[in-house]
Amino acid sequence: MVDNYLFIGFVAFYLLGAVSALVFNKKDALCSYISFLSASIGALAGFAFSLSVILGDTFHFILNEGQIPEFGFFIDKLSAFFILVISISVFAVSIFSTGYVREYFGKKNIGYLCFLYNMFILSMILVICANNAIMFLIVWELMSVISFFLVVYEHEKIETRKAGFFYIVMTHIGTGFIILSFLIFAGTSGSFSFETFRAAGSTMTPFLKDSAFLFAFIGFGIKAGIVPFHIWLPYAHPAAPGNVSALMSGVMIKTAIFMLIRISFDFLGASQAWWGYSVLAVGTISAILGILYAVVEPDMKRMLAFSSIENIGIILIGLGASMIFLSNEKPILSAIAMMAALYHLLNHSVFKGLLFMGAGSLLYSTHTKNIEKLGGLIKRMPFSAILILIGVLSISAMPPFSGFVSEWLTFQSLLLTFNLDSNFAIIMLSISAAVLALTGALAAYCFLKFFGMVFLALPRSENAQHAREVNIPMLAGMGFFALLSIMLGILPAFILPMLDRIAASFIGTSGQSFSFGTFGTISIPSSAWISISTPGLLAIVLILMFIPIIILFTSKRNMPVYETWGCGQPFSTARNEYSAIAFSKPVQMWFKGLYRPAREMEVTYSSQYLKESFKFKSEIEQVFEKNFYTPVVDFVMAMSRKAKVIQTGSIHAYLGYIFGILVILFMFIIAGGS
Amino acid sequence: MIIQLIFQTFLIIILAPLLSGIIKKVKSFFQIRKGPGILQPYYDLLKLVKKDSVISNNVSWIFHAAPIISFAAVLAAGLLIPIYITQLPLGFAGDLIAVIYLFALARFFTALASLDAGSSFGGMGGSREMFIAALVEPALMLSIFAVALNVGSTNLGFISQTVSGMGIDAMSPYQILAFVALFIIAIAETGRIPVDNPATHLELTMIHEAMILEYSGRQLAIMELGAMIKQLLIFSLLANIFFPWGIASQGAGASALVLSFLVFVIKILVIGISMAVVETSTAKWRLFRLPELLSISLMLSFLALVSFIIVKGG
């Protein structure tokens, strides 16, 4: 009963947020406070609701009982977990937003932004709750369209409009594949209800199962941003306002992962091994390519978007391993891999939300997204610096922060492959682990560069010179996520049992895949395998180690301050600093086959020996865009040009076409077609 | 338990400079020089501790925190690695993967500090260090897989105990291949020729030295000591994963412990001397040839994995 109130509660608060945004449209400050506070209260209700479903029973709510199609909400433990992830993110981002939107006061329509923001969250939650394919497609479309409007919020910029267009086209191609997949299910089950899809999943022929899976994988893969369908993501996510990109990257792409789990595990039972292998392969490729593009990217929001592709890849590696184990009838191992994937999903929404908000803060106070133009901000924005450092350490999987736990779990679940009889599986999962290790190292490289270039040394531009610390709500929103990153890193023993229940609910094991000792030790026992880790204790050891060193080595001593060593040059300026492009140059040289860097140099001489000016331009080629999309786009354009022939512009001709079609349809019916 | 922890920590701290001294001595023997005494690293550290630190006027708190965090991370890793006994008091706190990530944490902060002073050298060093770390990582993970799949755990105490219990049977093709792969990785991780030259201060060739160029006095002392400890720990990893024979297991008596300790010292010396031989007999490679070296390591560890599958009969 409480569940009902909570459910209605959070829906009502999001609606209230949306409506109040319209009502107080003219008063910027009031509008943003009421609307975002309402969203954060809604998030708290959503949080309580999802915990109650995870720990209790499935929630079922039908609007029109007995009618067909039945519209309603169905929330099991899996959906509840995703509502949990959304609610946590929404809570932090809403607090952040109350500060962040001050940037737009007087310049943009705040009511419009707040309205879309609340509706966007509501549509994401409805996507998770839908119990029926038609209702799902409606809210899915709603989510896509609202997020499109949010992406083009700063529509006066031409690149934003382009990004928005790119996004809406790609997302609709995805929806097309999703519809195909649903139609296959509906063809067997005879209804659009997800309940019947579940039953149909076990009775379908293998061919139908394969195609339903494949279409769903492509359709939802486009939304999740898997390679090679990722190209919209690095355009759309950076174009949106900071708080919206935090939500899009942190949670919206996860709704696609949710449906992927729903369809491949819940409906289809992950019965084919090759599904697992293809998810694993796609995940591995996405992880490595995502981070490779992120390393060399100078625009920080684009870099974060590429890193989202990487993290979706890591989540898919876990999912793929889980599917491989399940198809080999090892449900316990499958549950462990699933928990690794879900843990990483939760972690990613937290640290990526934090970093996107951090990028928003940097943009707010410096008005530039280019890493090369920043520097020295640790002294100007000390609190943001610490919070972003926590995010950076988490995403680089440094112990004892959150990313470490989920990467450890992912490695362990890949290692469990030795329980399988298939040599192919062992080789595939080991290669995937090696690539994951490379991905992790490159992620550390990438985010070290980000933090070092943005915060350390001397400011590289006027903008960075005059940067000021951001306001308190923004710090509070980031601070909440930073705290959560630490807690997820040192207290996995409290979160894993919950994930265990969730995984058990659709994989079907008794949920004894992990055992927890004192101090929250995680051990993975299965046959001879025992690997244990206690992240919390690791953190304590690390901190204990600090104390003697600090006492021994940092007593008050005379520390003369002098200039940085510059080979005897009398002064050091920002121009002597190492630049971001130089920092990532080794990787660019190493993978030059992938990047195909193009560079232009323009030197003018004032005399034979003295250079007057020097211009340097370096560009990275987007391989997929050039070799995969441009031909398709060109083909579509050519075909449309051909099709123009029948568009004569004369109304008589069009009436003729309609008449012709009618005649053909009548003939079809008379001939006995149904 | 506490005593064992403190003892192991101090043992690591005290032995690490000695190992560096011995490697230097062996190198000078091969170069037909007399070379400094094996206790020289201790004198160097003591001298540094007595001196004031001169710091750059550009730096932030990261610069001061980095030596402490790096050193603590390396020491914490030291408590997870078996030295002379397989039963580690804190063995359940983390496994081999945790050790690797603790080293990564130490490296991360050193590299961050290298950027803090705003010098080009620091950035260059940090960039190269992270590049080499990225090159090393896949080979490292594959060889860990080869070892862990054989034993059935990633916990180091367990690995040592199992391999030690197998006796000579443990010398299988995959174990040897994985050892060679990890030896190449150890060269890269400890910053030795042909990857990095610990003795150089030439701008264009240094990596680790470039990162800590702005440090002086006490801070430099902990940075240097941290690097020496990391070297000792990596050698102990090699010794106790692949040749753990003679290591004491739980409940061993005092004489067994002493014996095990002596065996440990001998193993470390052998690895240290072979490292010195490798260093003397090769020249430093160009940075962009290093992917070749480390892909050899990657291939070897992949072969180790494949031969594991073949030997175990799938």
Side-chain angles (χ1 to χ4, degrees):
Chain A
M1 212 45 224
V2 180
D3 284 359
N4 275 336
Y5 290 123
L6 284 173
F7 183 80
I8 295 167
F10 73 74
V11 172
F13 270 108
Y14 291 134
L15 284 175
L16 179 72
V19 172
S20 60
L22 295 181
V23 173
F24 300 108
N25 191 9
K26 291 282 173 283
K27 298 186 179 65
D28 285 349
L30 184 69
C31 165
S32 74
Y33 278 121
I34 291 183
S35 179
F36 288 124
L37 279 182
S38 172
S40 52
I41 296 169
L44 285 179
F47 182 76
F49 169 77
S50 51
L51 273 188
S52 125
V53 173
I54 290 172
L55 301 173
D57 297 322
T58 301
F59 176 80
H60 219 136
F61 191 87
I62 290 171
L63 294 173
N64 50 347
E65 195 115 26
Q67 288 172 4
I68 291 181
E70 260 179 7
F71 286 103
F73 308 105
F74 169 78
I75 297 145
D76 61 358
K77 290 189 169 53
L78 179 65
S79 346
F81 172 72
F82 281 84
I83 294 178
L84 184 79
V85 172
I86 294 175
S87 300
I88 291 172
S89 290
V90 166
F91 181 71
V93 174
S94 298
I95 294 172
F96 173 84
S97 302
T98 52
Y100 183 73
V101 292
R102 287 179 204 168
E103 168 85 2
Y104 297 116
F105 281 2
K107 294 180 206 155
K108 307 279 295 180
N109 191 337
I110 301 295
Y112 173 68
L113 177 66
C114 296
F115 172 74
L116 287 177
Y117 177 87
N118 275 286
M119 290 308 285
F120 177 50
I121 298 162
L122 191 60
S123 67
M124 280 195 292
I125 287 182
L126 291 180
V127 161
I128 303 291
C129 300
N131 74 336
N132 169 311
I134 294 182
M135 176 171 161
F136 175 84
L137 286 172
I138 293 170
V139 286
W140 181 261
E141 198 54 29
L142 200 64
M143 179 176 87
S144 301
V145 171
I146 294 174
S147 53
F148 162 75
F149 282 121
L150 284 167
V151 167
V152 296
Y153 184 63
E154 293 173 35
H155 53 78
E156 60 282 345
K157 296 178 194 155
I158 179 137
E159 68 269 16
T160 303
R161 293 202 295 273
K162 261 191 179 158
F165 182 69
F166 208 169
Y167 170 52
I168 197 99
V169 169
M170 284 304 287
T171 202
H172 276 94
I173 295 172
T175 311
F177 281 103
I178 295 167
I179 292 174
L180 278 179
S181 172
F182 283 169
L183 285 178
I184 292 172
F185 278 109
T188 312
S189 74
S191 139
F192 280 104
S193 153
F194 282 167
E195 207 95 347
T196 61
F197 280 16
R198 201 163 289 132
S202 49
T203 55
M204 283 192 324
T205 60
F207 174 72
L208 283 182
K209 274 188 186 181
D210 285 350
S211 25
F213 166 76
L214 206 61
F215 287 138
F217 187 39
I218 296 174
F220 291 112
I222 291 177
K223 194 71 169 185
I226 60 170
V227 172
F229 310 118
H230 64 285
I231 48 155
W232 64 271
L233 211 142
Y235 289 98
H237 287 202
N243 51 345
V244 177
S245 358
L247 280 187
M248 281 180 73
S249 227
V251 289
M252 187 189 77
I253 55 177
K254 309 289 165 50
T255 58
I257 298 287
F258 161 75
M259 277 313 283
L260 206 57
I261 298 177
R262 178 66 93 209
I263 288 182
S264 44
F265 282 86
D266 208 7
F267 295 173
L268 295 169
S271 49
Q272 300 290 324
W274 74 265
W275 301 354
Y277 290 121
S278 44
V279 171
L280 186 81
V282 166
T284 311
I285 294 169
S286 302
I288 186 68
L289 283 180
I291 198 65
L292 277 175
Y293 281 115
V295 170
V296 294
E297 181 60 56
D299 176 330
M300 58 187 168
K301 283 183 88 176
R302 262 176 81 88
M303 179 200 86
L304 289 172
F306 276 121
S307 145
S308 289
I309 298 169
E310 172 225 338
N311 281 287
I312 284 291
I314 297 176
I315 295 168
L316 285 184
I317 289 175
L319 275 186
S322 179
M323 288 164 84
I324 292 171
F325 288 133
L326 198 59
S327 63
N328 280 298
E329 285 161 4
K330 295 263 191 281
I332 293 179
L333 308 186
S334 170
I336 293 175
M338 176 58 74
M339 284 158 73
L342 293 181
Y343 207 107
H344 195 75
L345 192 146
L346 175 61
N347 280 342
H348 177 243
S349 74
V350 171
F351 57 60
K352 189 48 67 65
L354 170 57
L355 288 171
F356 257 116
M357 289 196 279
S361 308
L362 293 171
L363 194 58
Y364 183 90
S365 42
T366 64
H367 300 282
T368 176
K369 288 193 279 188
N370 191 344
I371 298 177
E372 301 279 12
K373 294 222 165 80
L374 298 172
L377 292 179
I378 196 166
K379 287 173 189 148
R380 290 161 184 83
M381 303 168 70
F383 299 108
S384 307
I386 292 179
L387 299 176
I388 292 175
L389 181 62
I390 292 172
V392 162
L393 289 170
S394 299
I395 202 168
S396 311
M398 293 297 157
F401 295 93
S402 62
F404 171 67
V405 180
S406 49
E407 281 202 14
W408 185 83
L409 282 170
T410 311
F411 278 125
Q412 290 294 348
S413 45
L414 291 176
L415 264 166
L416 290 171
T417 172
F418 89 107
N419 287 296
L420 298 180
D421 297 326
S422 147
N423 291 339
F424 182 66
I426 297 181
I427 298 279
M428 280 294 280
L429 270 75
S430 306
I431 291 176
S432 175
V435 176
L436 182 59
L438 178 60
T439 307
L442 286 174
Y445 197 137
C446 173
F447 285 95
L448 175 82
K449 179 187 100 174
F450 166 66
F451 189 82
M453 292 299 150
V454 170
F455 286 102
L456 302 180
L458 295 169
R460 293 179 177 80
S461 71
E462 280 289 300
N463 291 4
Q465 191 89 47
H466 302 301
R468 297 234 315 271
E469 185 58 280
V470 293
N471 50 45
I472 291 179
M474 288 168 79
L475 288 176
M478 289 195 283
F480 177 71
F481 265 175
L483 195 67
L484 219 54
S485 278
I486 296 174
M487 279 173 27
L488 284 168
I490 58 178
L491 301 172
F494 293 95
I495 294 135
L496 285 172
M498 196 179 82
L499 295 183
D500 200 15
R501 292 173 81 104
I502 295 160
S505 74
F506 59 91
I507 290 177
T509 50
S510 56
Q512 281 299 317
S513 25
F514 277 75
S515 63
F516 301 96
T518 41
F519 305 114
T521 301
I522 314 161
S523 51
I524 304 182
S526 63
S527 63
W529 189 265
I530 309 157
S531 285
I532 48 181
S533 186
T534 317
L537 190 65
L538 210 58
I540 294 169
V541 171
L542 210 56
I543 290 163
L544 281 181
M545 287 293 180
F546 287 167
I547 298 166
I549 308 166
I550 292 175
I551 293 170
L552 278 175
F553 284 98
T554 49
S555 56
K556 281 283 168 219
R557 261 275 193 120
N558 193 17
M559 277 204 188
V561 173
Y562 201 71
E563 271 173 14
T564 305
W565 166 246
C567 291
Q569 293 286 329
F571 55 85
S572 64
T573 63
R575 291 190 57 176
N576 301 30
E577 284 169 28
Y578 220 50
S579 65
I581 187 166
F583 197 84
S584 52
K585 190 82 181 186
V587 177
Q588 195 178 317
M589 304 257 303
W590 185 19
F591 288 98
K592 57 178 177 292
L594 169 74
Y595 295 126
R596 297 162 197 276
R599 53 181 195 172
E600 249 172 67
M601 269 187 278
E602 213 181 290
V603 188
T604 53
Y605 292 91
S606 58
S607 78
Q608 198 180 348
Y609 303 107
L610 294 173
K611 282 177 187 148
E612 192 179 48
S613 72
F614 185 82
K615 264 187 205 166
F616 177 81
K617 197 177 151 197
S618 162
E619 243 178 312
I620 298 293
E621 188 181 300
Q622 300 288 335
V623 178
F624 288 95
E625 235 164 274
K626 193 175 167 195
N627 300 329
F628 189 50
Y629 285 88
T630 319
V632 174
V633 171
D634 288 347
F635 176 73
V636 171
M637 293 303 275
M639 289 310 285
S640 349
R641 240 170 266 129
K642 290 241 170 68
K644 247 181 3 199
V645 179
I646 59 168
Q647 277 183 316
T648 54
S650 132
I651 189 121
H652 303 291
Y654 292 152
L655 285 173
Y657 296 151
I658 294 172
F659 182 71
I661 296 281
L662 266 179
V663 170
I664 293 168
L665 281 178
F666 276 128
M667 277 160 65
F668 181 65
I669 288 170
I670 289 163
S674 55
Chain B
M1 181 184 147
I2 301 283
I3 294 170
Q4 202 190 335
L5 283 179
I6 294 172
F7 181 67
Q8 178 149 348
T9 313
F10 276 97
L11 189 71
I12 293 166
I13 296 178
I14 289 166
L15 280 185
L18 186 65
L19 177 64
S20 292
I22 292 173
I23 292 179
K24 270 189 196 142
K25 191 77 188 172
V26 174
K27 273 174 74 177
S28 38
F29 169 77
F30 282 118
Q31 292 160 359
I32 323 178
R33 290 189 290 128
K34 195 158 171 260
I38 54 169
L39 296 180
Q40 190 60 41
Y42 294 103
Y43 304 141
D44 290 346
L45 288 175
L46 277 179
K47 183 188 75 186
L48 284 175
V49 167
K50 281 192 207 133
K51 292 204 169 234
D52 282 344
S53 293
V54 181
I55 56 164
S56 159
N57 48 12
N58 298 339
V59 300
S60 62
W61 61 267
I62 294 275
F63 187 80
H64 296 283
I68 297 171
I69 295 173
S70 303
F71 191 71
V74 172
L75 270 190
L79 294 181
L80 306 177
I81 298 174
I83 302 290
Y84 60 94
I85 185 164
T86 55
Q87 214 60 36
L88 296 164
L90 282 180
F92 65 94
D95 57 355
L96 188 47
I97 299 174
V99 168
I100 292 167
Y101 276 93
L102 281 172
F103 285 153
L105 178 68
R107 181 190 304 124
F108 192 90
F109 270 92
T110 315
L112 261 191
S114 77
L115 287 170
D116 207 6
S119 136
S120 299
F121 295 136
M124 208 180 281
S127 159
R128 289 172 180 177
E129 175 88 3
M130 296 309 280
F131 174 60
I132 291 170
L135 288 174
V136 162
E137 210 78 0
L140 185 56
M141 198 48 78
L142 268 189
S143 28
I144 289 174
F145 259 58
V147 172
L149 288 178
N150 182 22
V151 173
S153 173
T154 48
N155 281 75
L156 286 158
F158 196 71
I159 293 178
S160 292
Q161 187 134 22
T162 318
V163 176
S164 165
M166 282 182 200
I168 201 72
D169 289 347
M171 285 315 276
S172 47
Y174 45 90
Q175 199 83 351
I176 295 167
L177 285 167
F179 172 72
V180 180
L182 269 182
F183 191 80
I184 297 175
I185 291 164
I187 294 175
E189 284 276 333
T190 51
R192 303 212 151 263
I193 295 174
V195 176
D196 185 11
N197 185 354
T200 183
H201 272 95
L202 280 172
E203 290 91 345
L204 295 175
T205 54
M206 56 184 175
I207 299 176
H208 185 255
E209 293 301 317
M211 285 201 295
I212 57 173
L213 199 63
E214 284 298 318
Y215 280 109
S216 51
R218 291 180 171 205
Q219 290 172 327
L220 182 60
I222 13 180
M223 276 297 195
E224 296 276 15
L225 185 58
M228 290 173 194
I229 293 174
K230 188 180 165 194
Q231 168 174 290
L232 176 71
L233 291 177
I234 287 171
F235 289 1
S236 336
L237 267 182
L238 280 179
N240 285 334
I241 289 178
F242 295 101
F243 316 104
W245 304 298
I247 195 166
S249 48
Q250 199 182 20
S255 58
L257 283 181
V258 172
L259 183 70
S260 149
F261 181 71
L262 287 178
V263 172
F264 168 74
V265 171
I266 293 168
K267 281 188 278 195
I268 293 295
L269 279 182
V270 171
I271 294 179
I273 291 169
S274 30
M275 203 58 98
V277 173
V278 170
E279 259 199 296
T280 329
S281 54
T282 48
K284 190 185 174 302
W285 285 23
R286 273 181 67 219
L287 187 68
F288 293 107
R289 270 190 73 195
L290 291 182
E292 295 169 25
L293 179 70
L294 289 154
S295 54
I296 294 173
S297 168
L298 182 66
M299 279 302 119
L300 285 173
S301 45
F302 189 69
L303 282 179
L305 199 72
V306 172
S307 58
F308 167 76
I309 294 170
I310 295 169
V311 171
K312 293 272 154 162

